[in-house]
Amino acid sequence: MNPRSVKWLKASGLNAAAVVVFLFAVFPVYWMVATAFKPNDEIFTTRFIPFPLAPTMDHVSRVLTKGVAGHSIWQYLFNSAVVALGTVLIGAVFALLAATAVSRFRFRFRTSFLILLLIVQMVPAEALLIPLFLMVKRLGLYDQLLGLIIVNVGFTLPFAIWMLRTFVAAVPKELEEAAAIDGAGRFITFWRVLFPLVAPGLVATSIFSFITAWNELVFALTLINDQGTYTMPVALQFFTSQRSTDWGGIMAASTLMTIPVIVFFLLVQRRMVSGLVAGAVKG
Amino acid sequence: MMAQTSTVARGGGNSSAPARRRSHRPPRRPSGLPNWAVPYVLLVPGLLVIAILLLYPLYQMVDMSFHKVGLRQIRPNPQPAEFLGMQNYSDVFSSDLFWTSLRNTVVFAVVTVALTLILGTLVGLLLNKLGRKMSTFLVVGIMAAWATPPTATAIIWKWLFDSDAGVVNWALNLLPDGLSTLVFGRSDWSGQPWLNAPSTIYVVLVIAVVWASFPFIAVSVLAGLKSIPSELYEAARVDGSTPAATFRKITFPLLKPVFSVLLVLSIIWDFKVFTQLYVLAGGTTNREAFNLSLWAYTEAFSAPPKMGFGAAIAVILTVIMLVITAVYVRQIVRTEADVR
Amino acid sequence: MKFGKIAATTATTAVLAIGVAACGGDSEPAKTDAPAASAAASGPKFAGQTLTVWRLGAPNDVQTKYMTDLDAKFKEQTGAEVNVQWIPWPDAQKKWTAALAGGEGPDVTEFGNDQVAAWVAQDALADITEITKSAPDFQQIPQNLWGYETIDGKIYAAPWGGGTRAVLYRKDWFDELGIQAPKTWDELVAAGKKIVEKKGKDVDGFAFNGGSDANMSLSPFVWSAGGDFAAFEGGKWVGKLTEPGFKEGFQFYTDLVAKDGVSGKGRLSQNSVDISQRFAAGKVGMYVTGGWDIATIKEQSKGKVGEDKMAFFSLPNKEGSGPAPAFQGGNDIAIWKDAKNPELAAEYLKLAAGKEFGTRYAKDGGLLPLYPDALAEYASDPVQAPFAETFKVAKGFPASPNWAEANDTKAVLQNAARAVIEGKKNVDTALADANTELETILNQQ
């Protein structure tokens, strides 16, 4: 066999593996989308129906035109977007600062801080619900999206710092020292040298924060009182009534809810690559 | 913009300790703030958020676990909570539910963490090797898995494993009878119940959670791989190193910090898994399928709310996780080697 | 605010006032002056105030209309605005919990009646004994329907709509297979077996409910055999699960799966919602549920299982001498203890659960009206007749604030039934264990 066909075989092997993983990852998502387009009798069946036999727009158009519990679906999506983006922006800045501190400096309480970051993540969030609820109320942020943003920042920050610090630590310090010798200030160095190199890590953690905040239910339900301020995960709950569940509606709304995340990801993914290129040029 | 931020930060640093600042100021740094203060200033915003939103509530949770706390004790103008000492804890330990929940929690976490990390790493490596188009294609696919709301996916897994209409039983029935008998000891899967007995509920749960969490591991490993300078691989190739040797000698050591973080985080998440179990086990009625989080939740939020008891379970869960991750935590304490 | 002043006048101007409100009379200050002055005298004492009301679920058009009418009438009477917030059913518990902890609750809220005791124990609901006594409408609601709401002689909620259970069955299958509506337990099992035999092994002849609301399906069997769950004796709760009557009903119920095979072993934790979905898919012959399921099933099956194919019969007692006592469920309306204006909340409660709006609430929501003359109309409706009939002998679960914990949090009987069906315990051991646990739960402070 000549080297070219070996290479070809190898590539097609990898591609085949990629397709298998893709199918495993996508199948349940496909099922969600397929269900959103199935008429009710194909959903409430005991037969296995791989794809909608008589596709219908009923569920999707019902969700889009009638909304959920008297409010437009766009209202809920907008609220979710505010919470998720707010969490990502505030969280990214705070996390990057703190990650730089723990991975670039030795200082007292550094170790304690790191251990603390771990411990706070170990506590089941449900157990903190009531104390946190009271705290948010005391801060005057009850029934406000800002309150939800802050709570989500709180829950994603320990993880983000913990994750980012390895990325910061992986950037060779020599680069910064070189910049410093060139006369660049500390924050110029941070911005021009460290930031581009850490960008991929920042993107990974931002995606994580975004998804966490986007899907968060318990606090979105309890910290918000006005229906116009509810987020998407709360809206989804409305499809389950006391005595029946509107599966078609849930799946249609869940599909609509998944699209923005994938769009967000596609947007930042490009940033991840350009961040890498910028870093390579500087390096 | 960054420069402005630094000015503000510098001002704060100055006012707090003007005298010491001068003496510690390194001559080489042109931009103000004394070295010793820099990390603290950087930490302030994050620490503030964590202290207010996590530490203080955490303290309250621990405090609750020593008291008999119902709703009357936490509402405005509360009644005083009766101090119970270790009563809640001894009640937890003497409950039958504790041991089954603990077993479920630990076995599930061990299996799931291992599978998630292995699958995630393999997919991360695969992504790095694939061509641009194929890589984007796969990343979008696994992102879809990660992005789908957990409540929706838990319901979908429940359907896929439905005893009558589920795709899983349907697919297992497609296997040649001989093969199916050989591997599973049976050929007829019609009506096989997956979501009755705790053991099969947990099989489904493992699949559902691995499915939901491997994308994050894969993306993180990919990000790690991308930050390894390509010169290293060039050098290895010139030396004629095999792919396995390259992974062992270059990739793994350089990604080790990423891996250890992912390991600890996976342990933490899988110990606390809640939403998917809640849906798959059909709410809180199947006690044999409880894990510690679902149990703590059930005690604290179902009527009558026993918040102290629920808090005690949560504290125990936290301590167990601390013990399990202790090796890693000790490593941080001992070496402090992360600073470069 | 202006509406309030207009609206809260005498009955003669009320019609006009609603007309003005409906036309968006916000911009007509000139007209308001005269009525407002007279209104002040006749008592629009709550003008300008707002009452927060929590309702559960997502409103459909009928319910939205109901709330609009109710709130308009309320404004007419009191001058106060109503702020309705709809709370999703799942997790409603968390919402109330947080509301109570934070003092940010509603003024008036809807409730499941079996939750009242638990929330009273948390001091969440206001005592409305005086209010119910002073409202003539409430005197018409039969005494036996105030059981869940009365705790230590005080009333904490008003029943809003009732629900009892009967057996929903496939009428077309019964006709096709020549089955009569069962009159005894033996006939019930025989009918179930015949359905499984003719309609396929994956069909439940009589579906076993082992999920969150299992006890409403189990209870008619144990009650009609003379058993009960527990009784309050000598200052504490005594479990009655080991007594012969309970054992007989429980044995029969688990045998439906274990011995008679009229319900699949693969679905031991299904609740009535899961079963209704299988019913819509043509996989269930009979099961215990409420009248609302007919509409749900028709919709879920896209009309394939329509009204003509479904009917109810009252579950018989063992020997067939009459209907078995069924579980009495339903929804209540209560005043939140932290209500900012209890007096205003009381006005709302009286209006909403009064005869006019109370009856409409029940009818719009697919529940049984609590007012006897409205209920009497149901007796002539073939679909509702079995309910109207069993409603008279309906019973409640033990009125302990801890019952909810035994019922679905700890799921004592569901777990006992599962252990018996899976052969892990025999009936005696399972019930003895369950009894000990039940007593512990009910007697905890």
Side-chain angles (χ1 to χ4, degrees), chain C residues 17 64 83 103 123 142 162 178 181 186 188 232 264 276 287 290 306 348 433:
Chain C
T64 310
N83 172 16
D123 204 17
D186 287 344
L188 185 75
F232 196 70
S276 75
Y287 75 107
Y348 193 84
D433 292 353

Side-chain angles (χ1 to χ4, degrees), chain C residues 95-114:
Chain C
K95 191 85 185 167
W96 283 313
T97 306
L100 202 57
E104 290 281 357
D107 296 306
V108 172
T109 184
E110 185 178 11
F111 260 110
N113 63 2
D114 51 345

Side-chain angles (χ1 to χ4, degrees), chain C residues 80-153:
Chain C
E81 301 278 340
V82 177
N83 172 16
V84 182
Q85 295 294 336
W86 296 86
I87 312 293
W89 268 107
D91 302 315
Q93 191 88 6
K94 264 180 240 156
K95 191 85 185 167
W96 283 313
T97 306
L100 202 57
E104 290 281 357
D107 296 306
V108 172
T109 184
E110 185 178 11
F111 260 110
N113 63 2
D114 51 345
Q115 292 171 312
V116 170
W119 286 102
V120 169
Q122 299 302 327
D123 204 17
L125 305 180
D127 177 357
I128 60 165
T129 315
E130 292 308 316
I131 299 166
T132 53
K133 280 186 184 148
S134 67
D137 277 5
F138 289 172
Q139 305 306 318
Q140 297 181 36
I141 300 176
Q143 267 312 306
N144 70 317
L145 299 179
W146 292 88
Y148 279 113
E149 294 76 10
T150 311
I151 289 148
D152 290 340

Side-chain angles (χ1 to χ4, degrees), chain B residues 109-121 206-207 210 214 217 270:
Chain B
V110 168
V111 173
T112 311
V113 168
L115 288 178
T116 312
L117 283 181
I118 292 169
L119 182 64
T121 308
V206 166
I207 297 174
V210 168
F214 88 88
I217 309 284
D270 292 343

